[in-house]
Amino acid sequence: MSRSSEAINQLIHILDERGWSATTVDDLAKEAGISRATFFRVYGSKEDLVFADHEEMIERLEAFLERTDHDIASAMREGLALVFRYHLEDEGRTLARHRLLKQSTQLRNRELLTSHTYERIFRHWLRRRLGPGLAAEPVAVSLSGAAVALHNAFLRKWLAEPSPGVLSEFTAEAKKLIHVVLSGYELEGKLRSSAGVKGPHAVVALVGESADTEEICEAVRSALNHSRGE
Amino acid sequence: MSRSSEAINQLIHILDERGWSATTVDDLAKEAGISRATFFRVYGSKEDLVFADHEEMIERLEAFLERTDHDIASAMREGLALVFRYHLEDEGRTLARHRLLKQSTQLRNRELLTSHTYERIFRHWLRRRLGPGLAAEPVAVSLSGAAVALHNAFLRKWLAEPSPGVLSEFTAEAKKLIHVVLSGYELEGKLRSSAGVKGPHAVVALVGESADTEEICEAVRSALNHSRGE
DNA sequence: TCATGTCAAGAGACTGAGTGCCAAGTGGCG
DNA sequence: CGCCACTTGGCACTCAGTCTCTTGACATGA
């Protein structure tokens, strides 16, 4: 898994350097040390290669939404943050892909398609979580559409001018949007957590007064790893 | 214009009957009484042929938004209705295309792309109409995303079960959505100025017993965002 | 040790989309 | 009529993606 994803990153880099249309599948296969036929078996297509890692992200998001105990608004916001953080995670890969996308409308279009996958995931999850009710369907549809659009707008902003503050700006805007839509449709009642009777852990992390969210999370992570013996 | 659009309808019909992948460009060119080369010159590609009429719709929408005297909410609603009505207008063509789309994921993906074009048009128009202001950008992004998602949902519903009442149902829902978003952000904008100076705060994260490290971090992040953002 | 089944990979032919080039029409227009 | 710009057809070419057949590595089992 990790080896193949490195191979993918390398191939994307090659496509970025030599140009999307100037690089043939033969070139890529030769570069990867496999035959042309094997290339198609492994990666599906030249296009799929560039977005192979999105599959993983989609699984992560679905797993998160499936298992979360958060209330609807928090889970939605955190799901969106999860996706956003994924793009910031490997800046080299994301920027290389972005340069690549500028070369070909075909690739840009493919990129846009991934939005619909995220939108669909949120929509279906919202439908389930909102349950039956008059406003559930339009809220599921509109909120997922709006939230993914917001995500894309902030991602575009970050691609144009990478800065670490974008994530928290995005999270704040997403929070506002979710609140506006849910309360506007009078679904505040659904905002409560659906968490069951599971007993809570107590976790104490000590951090400096000026710590930001990520620093605190890091402290929590290390405290957990310590106490759990990982 | 009208002659060529009839030719397009006929070719779409042929694609629908014989199958998308079973019909080659040679077949289509022969059917249209032109050479293969001319086919590509005129229609661009096999895929473009299926969505050629969308170009016209996009121009209609842009012209309407550019010239309308309506207030923002009414113009938005009427613009959406304009697009929706266009699909209902020629039921034969829309249903034939829909049958065609079921045959090929490639075509379905292409269809999804047109959403982004509409979304972009509404977004740019909303930016211009909302003018400068703190909430203008997120509203332009979110509302266009949500509105187009709503449009697509109602269109899917109509395609599954055509009924004339869908248009008015859609218009009503769109009106509600636009009102919720616009009024929701106006309210937020007024409340923001009264936000006080941040003091120290306590953070409590409650997670399920089976939560792993990452889930706990998500919960901490969520709790922080909750307490800091208010 | 050898026979057998399985599976991943390679080799190569084949289809079909899309591009580029050139030659042959097909009108206007002086 | 002859010149010109523009359109169309014919044709070769590249390359993505599919399909089939073969080969070799590996495991299992008598």
Side-chain angles (χ1 to χ4, degrees), chain A residues 14 38 61 64-65 75 85 87 90 114 118-119 122-123 149 154 166 171 190 205 213:
Chain A
I14 288 169
T38 305
L61 175 63
F64 169 76
L65 290 176
R85 237 179 279 121
H87 289 286
D90 187 341
T114 63
Y118 292 123
E119 199 176 319
F122 281 113
R123 188 170 66 235
F154 274 94
V166 175
T171 308
K190 302 271 187 176
T213 303

Side-chain angles (χ1 to χ4, degrees), chain A residues 57-193:
Chain A
M57 183 59 240
I58 285 161
E59 284 169 18
R60 269 209 248 170
L61 175 63
E62 283 181 324
F64 169 76
L65 290 176
E66 197 57 45
R67 291 173 202 160
T68 183
D69 287 335
H70 290 63
D71 61 284
I72 290 180
S74 307
M76 180 94 194
R77 192 176 64 245
E78 286 310 309
L80 289 165
L82 191 73
V83 178
F84 201 94
R85 237 179 279 121
Y86 169 76
H87 289 286
L88 308 187
E89 194 169 275
D90 187 341
E91 193 169 323
R93 176 196 58 203
T94 300
L95 291 179
R97 175 159 47 216
H98 182 240
R99 280 194 303 275
L100 196 50
L101 295 199
K102 283 198 275 192
Q103 295 182 31
S104 151
T105 51
Q106 186 194 349
L107 284 178
R108 280 195 296 280
N109 289 344
R110 170 63 182 260
E111 163 93 328
L112 291 177
L113 281 180
T114 63
S115 301
H116 287 275
T117 308
Y118 292 123
E119 199 176 319
R120 197 182 57 243
I121 291 171
F122 281 113
R123 188 170 66 235
H124 290 176
W125 174 79
L126 276 169
R127 269 204 200 103
R128 263 182 287 129
R129 286 292 296 262
L130 292 169
L134 204 57
E137 181 61 18
V139 165
V141 168
S142 305
L143 186 52
S144 55
V148 170
L150 201 64
H151 169 277
N152 291 344
F154 274 94
L155 188 58
R156 273 195 298 270
K157 187 185 170 188
W158 181 81
L159 285 167
E161 189 186 350
S163 84
V166 175
L167 175 58
S168 58
E169 288 173 35
F170 167 58
T171 308
E173 277 300 343
K175 182 183 174 187
K176 191 183 303 172
L177 169 69
I178 293 161
H179 175 258
V180 162
V181 173
L182 290 181
S183 64
Y185 280 87
E186 289 169 358
L187 288 171
E188 299 98 326
K190 302 271 187 176
L191 290 176
R192 282 175 216 297
S193 170

Side-chain angles (χ1 to χ4, degrees), chain A residues 78 116 176 211 214 221 228, chain B residues 116 192 211 214 218 221:
Chain A
E78 286 310 309
H116 287 275
K176 191 183 303 172
E214 285 310 312
R221 209 179 268 121
R228 290 181 171 187
Chain B
H116 287 274
R192 180 172 299 144
E214 284 310 312
E218 292 292 346
R221 260 193 212 95

Side-chain angles (χ1 to χ4, degrees), chain B residues 32 86 104 119 124 166 191 216:
Chain B
Y86 168 75
S104 151
E119 201 176 317
H124 291 176
V166 175
L191 291 177
I216 292 169

Side-chain angles (χ1 to χ4, degrees), chain B residues 93-107:
Chain B
R93 177 197 56 203
T94 299
L95 291 179
R97 176 160 46 216
H98 182 242
R99 280 194 303 275
L100 196 49
L101 295 199
K102 284 199 274 191
Q103 295 182 32
S104 151
T105 52
Q106 186 193 350
L107 284 178

